[in-house]
Amino acid sequence: MRLDTTQLVRDFKLLPLSLHFKATRRVQMEDYHKPDQQTLQALRNTANRLRIHSIRATTAAGSGHPTSCSSAAEIMSVLFFNTMKYRPEDPRNIHNDRFVLSKGHAAPILYAVWAETGYLKENELLNLRKVDSILEGHPVPKQQFVDVATGSLGQGLGAACGMAYTGKYFDKASYRVYCLLGDGEMSEGSVWEAMSFASYYQLDNLVAVLDVNRLGQSDPTPLQHHVEKYQQRCEAFGWQAVVVDGHSVEELCKVLNQPRHQPLAIIAKTVKGKGIPVVEDKLGWHGKPLPKDMADSAVKELQGRIVSSSKRLYPAPPCEDAPPVSLRNIRMPSAPSYKLGEKVATRKAYGQALAKLGRYNQHVIALDGDTKNSTFSELFKNEHPDRYVECYIAEQNMVSVAIGCAARDRNVVFASTFATFFTRAYDQLRMAAISESNINLCGSHCGVSIGEDGPSQMGLEDLAMFRAIPTATVFYPSDAVSTEKTLELAANTKGLCFIRTSRPENSVIYNSNEDFHVGQAKVVYKTNDDQVTVIGAGVTLHEALAAAEQLKKERINIRVIDPFTIKPLDSKAIIENARATRGRIITVEDHYYEGGLGEAVCAAVANETGFSVHRMAVSQVPRSGKPQELLRIFGIDRDAIAQAVRKVLSTSANNK
């Protein structure tokens, strides 16, 4: 099949691929203006002061990574005092260039940089890693000069991609994004997912600097100082790749100040522990501070290398062309238009609601991992193609890109894929919480109710996974109306939001004017003499309603509750309604037993006396089959619920 390059250009704003890989691969030098000797010396002096700060801080803390800081000293000096444009008194200014320290263990040198700018006081560096200091062991956003938390290696470049994509395609602004990586983390597959993303979308406003210092934590890195191999790999991924001496401020200035037409990878050959002769290029010093006598000696030697100069370096101010953005009060323009009894899958309702939300809120964006025709995010893409980002089958990177896109409150981000595929990005999700990120994630195709595709596609661990994240809100809408309301709520909820959607078409059970709130359950079936409270969500809520009608014929009345959010759970409503049914509770969920709805309810009523909770969930690895067959086989369908109600009542009667 012939590749339609015209379509690629139109859809993805790219050069044709044939031109993309033939684009300029070597730095063009004609526009380069070499800094004067005073500036170069000032940059060398700054690098050595950064080393001194890092040594003193880590020795005072009794822990940290001074050797990892020392290898990056010249890189940080040139980036922050010769290349980047920003206002040091206002680190989160929307016009500033962005910087991501992917090798987060080198945090002390980042703090040292901000001390050199005057934003931090030098003596504050000595509080590194203390419980009452903001200068934690790895970068976190409680520091105003940090946008995303790092430290779990291999994730910084993905977040930088999200920032760069936002800068180029959404903000259409001049700010650039710089990411410093360690050579050890280049073994992480997520780095190469990000590399692929950046080249595909021609993020020429993105620079990755690889600090190739040869040594990892316990061993030399796989490629050690074979910098040409890093260069070949980066070029193979469509990046312009240049090898430099990472301790030469001249070479760094030269490469960082060139025009570019594709993402740039600077492979900086460095020495771990540079400037500290006793530990230079030696194994066994990763993550170890220098003892005080060694630290004093190293500082004295480094001070001797600082040449007195009257030249003071200041960063250049940014170009102020980033548009103002307000993400407050993101609202739907009208109530849902679904009719009672209409059959709609919540996954489809998600796509329709997302498109509707984006229609009236220009800062809503959508990401997907090549599942848009299953998650229905394609409905958003069809209406708002310029605000849709296809991340392809790279879920780790998709989550990191989402975090980057949401940084500095530039976008309201929704990212979707099958619920089960978020498991492979769990590290990125937990780092999103540490990053204080506001991102919304939709996981479709949850549970055995997806049917024939089988267990590899069934989200059965996702509730447990997201409930364990401290900043997460977990939505589980059960019909189209509540799904649409979910998106509006998620867009205005701080932290990480997870929306669980289902494949089967189920009836609309709520009126369009029904009011929903985070942490507020709904009683969807009730009589004056209910005997058992049944709590279901998604497909199992509908099975519970069917069971209620079935039991009614036997003169057994049950109360049915839709929790709406699994976290926070409406404990008050559950306890009050369960008291009306003498503490008898049944939970039924299309999820494994561990960590799901049942355990959440058990925790909610743990301190109540006279309560009993009978849990129904998927008890083993499932198999392919028709949805209703699987619900029956795994004991979470209407018949199983009705039988569980009978058993609970029988047990209660026998215990009297």
Side-chain angles (χ1 to χ4, degrees):
M1 177 185 285
R2 183 179 177 187
L3 180 65
D4 183 353
T5 54
T6 304
Q7 183 68 33
L8 278 174
V9 174
R10 183 165 61 250
D11 283 356
F12 301 107
K13 314 174 187 76
L14 292 177
L15 292 167
L17 292 185
S18 59
L19 295 179
H20 166 58
F21 288 110
K22 292 178 182 176
T24 306
R25 291 157 60 99
R26 294 289 179 265
V27 179
Q28 302 299 313
M29 299 299 176
E30 57 266 22
D31 295 326
Y32 172 65
H33 299 288
K34 182 178 179 180
D36 59 46
Q37 288 302 314
Q38 267 196 319
T39 298
L40 292 173
Q41 186 56 55
L43 289 168
R44 295 186 194 101
N45 290 348
T46 299
N48 281 319
R49 284 198 299 273
L50 296 179
R51 288 189 174 98
I52 290 170
H53 291 320
S54 300
I55 292 167
R56 284 175 168 165
T58 51
T59 296
S63 64
H65 300 73
T67 59
S68 298
C69 294
S70 294
S71 65
E74 283 76 17
I75 296 168
M76 296 292 279
S77 175
V78 173
L79 278 175
F80 278 88
F81 297 100
N82 184 259
T83 304
M84 291 170 56
K85 296 177 173 61
Y86 63 101
R87 297 193 177 280
E89 75 282 1
D90 184 12
R92 286 198 182 153
N93 187 294
I94 62 171
H95 309 292
N96 286 352
D97 284 346
R98 275 69 162 151
F99 175 77
V100 179
L101 182 65
S102 191
K103 52 174 282 182
H105 51 284
I109 201 165
L110 177 63
Y111 307 155
V113 161
W114 286 95
E116 283 292 306
T117 68
Y119 183 79
L120 294 175
K121 295 179 180 178
E122 279 190 30
N123 62 0
E124 198 173 343
L125 300 179
L126 300 180
N127 293 322
L128 174 70
R129 296 184 169 216
K130 290 183 179 176
V131 73
D132 56 351
S133 170
I134 65 164
L135 304 183
E136 296 197 13
H138 292 75
V140 289
K142 62 168 60 92
Q143 303 146 2
Q144 288 296 301
F145 46 83
V146 171
D147 290 310
V148 295
T150 55
S152 183
L153 293 173
Q155 298 186 32
L157 188 59
C161 283
M163 296 176 191
Y165 192 101
T166 293
K168 181 169 183 175
Y169 294 116
F170 299 143
D171 288 348
K172 296 180 173 61
S174 301
Y175 64 79
R176 295 181 178 276
V177 183
Y178 299 85
C179 181
L180 177 60
L181 301 99
D183 49 350
E185 66 183 307
M186 300 303 289
S187 293
E188 289 280 6
S190 54
V191 171
W192 300 99
E193 287 184 9
M195 284 283 218
S196 180
F197 180 94
S199 64
Y200 188 72
Y201 287 111
Q202 287 287 279
L203 300 182
D204 52 2
N205 57 344
L206 174 62
V207 176
V209 184
L210 280 57
D211 180 9
V212 185
N213 64 25
R214 193 182 76 83
L215 299 178
Q217 176 170 330
S218 62
D219 262 324
T221 56
L223 298 183
Q224 299 199 38
H225 270 152
H226 292 287
V227 288
E228 73 285 352
K229 292 184 179 179
Y230 287 108
Q231 182 180 32
Q232 291 163 5
R233 292 181 183 186
C234 292
E235 288 183 337
F237 273 78
W239 286 55
Q240 177 184 348
V242 182
V243 174
V244 299
D245 176 352
H247 298 303
S248 167
V249 295
E250 295 95 330
E251 290 189 32
L252 288 164
C253 287
K254 196 172 190 178
V255 71
L256 281 164
N257 288 281
Q258 296 308 310
R260 42 192 175 268
H261 307 286
Q262 61 197 106
L264 172 63
I266 300 172
I267 295 103
K269 185 177 181 180
T270 63
V271 175
K272 196 162 188 174
K274 179 70 174 178
I276 314 171
V278 70
V279 299
E280 274 189 14
D281 200 32
K282 287 184 172 61
L283 270 173
W285 281 96
H286 182 92
K288 294 181 180 178
L290 301 181
K292 190 173 186 311
D293 58 339
M294 287 178 61
D296 291 343
S297 176
V299 165
K300 185 175 181 181
E301 182 162 341
L302 287 165
Q303 286 172 332
R305 297 181 187 182
I306 296 174
V307 178
S308 106
S309 168
S310 59
K311 178 117 181 174
R312 178 76 180 174
L313 299 176
Y314 298 96
C319 178
E320 299 192 354
D321 59 357
V325 171
S326 175
L327 302 184
R328 294 182 179 178
N329 205 31
I330 304 295
R331 300 298 176 197
M332 286 290 188
S334 60
S337 57
Y338 300 103
K339 296 177 181 178
L340 285 171
E342 181 181 356
K343 286 190 174 292
V344 184
T346 54
R347 61 170 178 149
K348 186 173 184 180
Y350 166 80
Q352 292 171 332
L354 186 59
K356 182 178 178 180
L357 191 67
R359 208 174 297 150
Y360 295 90
N361 300 276
Q362 63 177 333
H363 299 298
V364 172
I365 69 169
L367 287 67
D368 201 285
D370 194 30
T371 57
K372 59 184 173 290
N373 56 344
S374 291
T375 63
F376 281 92
S377 66
E378 67 177 359
L379 299 178
F380 183 94
K381 182 193 173 187
N382 293 341
E383 279 198 43
H384 319 289
D386 57 332
R387 286 187 274 139
Y388 173 83
V389 187
E390 179 55 69
C391 296
Y392 296 98
I393 304 169
E395 291 85 3
Q396 294 182 72
N397 189 60
M398 181 179 74
V399 173
S400 291
V401 169
I403 294 167
C405 286
R408 300 198 191 186
D409 295 328
R410 303 307 293 166
N411 302 289
V412 177
V413 183
F414 286 85
S416 51
T417 185
F418 287 16
T420 195
F421 299 151
F422 279 119
T423 59
R424 72 201 314 160
Y426 194 65
D427 196 17
Q428 281 76 9
L429 295 170
R430 73 177 190 86
M431 289 302 293
I434 299 170
S435 290
E436 302 173 17
S437 184
N438 301 316
I439 57 173
N440 307 295
L441 306 163
C442 178
S444 73
H445 290 65
C446 62
V448 300
S449 57
I450 75 166
E452 290 84 349
D453 275 350
S456 69
Q457 312 299 294
M458 296 171 175
L460 288 160
E461 311 87 356
D462 51 307
L463 291 178
M465 185 168 72
F466 282 96
R467 282 185 63 229
I469 297 174
T471 66
T473 299
V474 181
F475 293 90
Y476 196 173
S478 296
D479 79 341
V481 170
S482 56
T483 301
E484 186 166 315
K485 297 284 189 174
T486 289
L487 268 75
E488 186 176 52
L489 288 168
N492 293 281
T493 299
K494 291 289 186 184
L496 189 152
C497 291
F498 176 61
I499 303 166
R500 193 179 207 231
T501 63
S502 304
R503 190 169 188 261
E505 293 182 347
N506 286 119
S507 299
V508 172
I509 60 174
Y510 292 111
N511 288 308
S512 61
N513 60 355
E514 185 76 29
D515 200 19
F516 287 84
H517 298 280
V518 172
Q520 185 179 89
K522 298 287 183 182
V523 178
V524 293
Y525 196 94
K526 177 181 179 181
T527 72
N528 291 329
D529 59 348
D530 293 328
Q531 297 166 275
V532 179
T533 295
V534 178
I535 306 170
V539 295
T540 62
L541 180 69
H542 295 272
E543 294 298 315
L545 289 170
E549 292 295 337
Q550 183 177 317
L551 289 165
K552 187 177 181 181
K553 297 173 185 176
E554 304 172 30
R555 297 187 178 182
I556 299 173
N557 292 321
I558 65 172
R559 188 162 299 187
V560 181
I561 293 180
D562 171 9
F564 182 56
T565 54
I566 309 301
K567 182 185 177 183
L569 191 70
D570 190 347
S571 302
K572 181 181 178 183
I574 289 171
I575 291 169
E576 286 178 355
N577 283 280
R579 281 203 183 110
T581 61
R582 300 183 183 180
R584 304 183 192 111
I585 300 172
I586 295 174
T587 63
V588 54
E589 58 191 308
D590 198 359
H591 186 274
Y592 287 138
Y593 274 93
E594 293 75 16
L597 171 62
E599 286 198 350
V601 170
C602 285
V605 302
N607 295 323
E608 300 297 318
T609 57
F611 276 52
S612 64
V613 180
H614 178 83
R615 295 191 293 142
M616 304 171 68
V618 179
S619 59
Q620 56 189 286
V621 174
R623 51 160 298 125
S624 294
K626 294 187 181 304
Q628 207 61 41
E629 289 177 329
L630 294 172
L631 292 175
R632 177 177 54 79
I633 289 170
F634 291 98
I636 55 173
D637 70 341
R638 61 198 67 186
D639 292 336
I641 296 170
Q643 184 58 34
V645 169
R646 296 185 196 103
K647 182 178 179 181
V648 166
L649 291 176
S650 173
T651 302
S652 296
N654 292 334
N655 289 337
K656 284 184 179 179

